[in-house]
């Protein structure tokens, strides 16, 4: 929910700057104002805040000058529109979850956790260790690289990383695609001076 509200806030800031710029034609300005007002009302609803009743121009209706029945009808109409938008968003999120679940069901994931505690090699200068997974059958690296900088004294260059040089290599393979041959996949560690 935090990210959703954050994105809405950024969108509102962008809309405000466009409104204040004074460069939009009147019809685009009216449309932008209505979109910003709809976002504000939607954000208030999902945050559990009060709903502000507005007229057709987007101005806040004064309860002292507007009849109670008119306020109620306007509140009901805005509330119904926001509820429909929330339902649309819930159904969109649900369909994304179903799609994501089917994607996860069609994938195989292989993982290898490596925790580098020590590296022993007789070298006279600092070195970089580059680790990755390699598939010799397809002659290609099948994971991203993990880089560890090692001093000539046999310790990590970043001293706060002592005994914290862990990496999780993960490879996902979809069904129906060439698979990783688990019996031939190799863990590769290269030393660069």
């Amino acid at each position: 929910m935090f990210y959703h509200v954050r994105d809405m806030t950024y969108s509102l800031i962008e809309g405000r700057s466009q409104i204040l710029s004074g460069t939009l034609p009147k019809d685009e300005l009216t449309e932008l104002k209505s979109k910003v007002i709809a976002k504000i009302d939607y954000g208030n609803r999902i945050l559990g805040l009060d709903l502000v009743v507005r007229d057709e121009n987007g101005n806040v209706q004064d309860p002292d000058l507007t009849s109670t029945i008119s306020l109620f009808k306007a509140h009901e109409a805005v509330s119904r529109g926001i509820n429909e938008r929330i339902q649309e968003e819930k159904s969109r999120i649900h369909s994304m979850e179903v799609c994501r679940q089917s994607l996860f069901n069609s994938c195989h994931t292989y993982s290898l956790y490596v925790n580098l505690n020590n590296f022993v090699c007789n070298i006279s200068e600092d070195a970089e260790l580059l680790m990755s997974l390699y598939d010799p059958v397809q002659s290609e690296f099948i994971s991203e690289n993990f880089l560890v900088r090692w001093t000539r004294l046999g310790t990590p260059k970043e001293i706060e990383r002592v005994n914290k040089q862990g990496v999780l290599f993960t490879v996902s393979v979809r069904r129906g695609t060439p698979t990783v041959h688990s019996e031939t996949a190799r863990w590769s560690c290269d030393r660069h001076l």
Side-chain angles (χ1 to χ4, degrees):
M1 181 156 139
F2 168 77
Y3 296 108
H4 185 64
V5 172
R6 182 194 64 185
D7 293 341
M8 285 180 57
T9 304
Y10 287 155
S11 175
L12 288 173
I13 291 170
E14 181 182 335
R16 180 181 185 274
S17 67
Q18 288 178 351
I19 290 170
L20 293 177
S21 70
T23 59
L24 295 175
K26 186 171 178 138
D27 57 336
E28 288 183 26
L29 182 64
T30 306
E31 183 181 334
L32 181 61
K33 279 185 179 180
S34 65
K35 286 181 180 179
V36 167
I37 289 168
K39 271 191 184 163
I40 290 171
D41 290 341
Y42 177 75
N44 286 346
R45 173 60 62 90
I46 64 173
L47 292 174
L49 302 174
D50 292 336
L51 178 64
V52 178
V53 180
R54 303 173 191 274
D55 61 12
E56 300 83 27
N57 298 327
N59 301 320
V60 177
Q61 288 188 347
D62 187 0
D64 295 333
L65 302 175
T66 310
S67 71
T68 307
I69 294 174
S70 298
L71 278 175
F72 176 75
K73 286 182 180 178
H75 186 278
E76 218 175 30
V78 171
S79 183
R80 188 174 29 254
I82 292 171
N83 286 339
E84 288 172 1
R85 183 170 172 196
I86 289 173
Q87 290 303 321
E88 287 173 4
E89 191 145 326
K90 282 183 180 178
S91 66
R92 183 180 59 84
I93 289 172
H94 176 70
S95 65
M96 284 174 46
E97 288 295 326
V98 168
C99 186
R100 185 179 299 141
Q101 188 63 34
S102 66
L103 178 65
F104 286 146
N105 289 340
S106 67
C107 288
H108 294 289
T109 303
Y110 303 96
S111 299
L112 172 68
Y113 179 73
V114 177
N115 188 12
L116 180 66
N117 290 326
N118 196 5
F119 174 72
V120 179
C121 185
N122 190 10
I123 55 175
S124 60
E125 52 190 69
D126 294 352
E128 293 179 345
L129 303 175
L130 188 68
M131 294 179 256
S132 59
L133 293 179
Y134 180 76
D135 186 0
V137 173
Q138 295 181 1
S139 298
E140 64 182 11
F141 289 95
I142 56 175
S143 72
E144 292 187 12
N145 297 326
F146 179 66
L147 178 70
V148 178
R149 290 181 173 85
W150 212 258
T151 66
R152 60 184 172 85
L153 301 174
T155 60
K157 255 193 175 164
E158 296 91 11
I159 198 68
E160 66 274 359
R161 304 252 344 211
V162 172
N163 295 328
K164 295 179 185 173
Q165 300 284 355
V167 62
L168 180 66
F169 292 106
T170 304
V171 178
S172 296
V173 180
R174 282 190 175 176
R175 289 185 186 156
T177 60
T179 60
V180 175
H181 301 282
S182 59
E183 64 275 358
T184 60
R186 303 286 186 252
W187 174 64
S188 170
C189 180
D190 297 322
R191 177 180 56 106
H192 299 278
L193 298 175

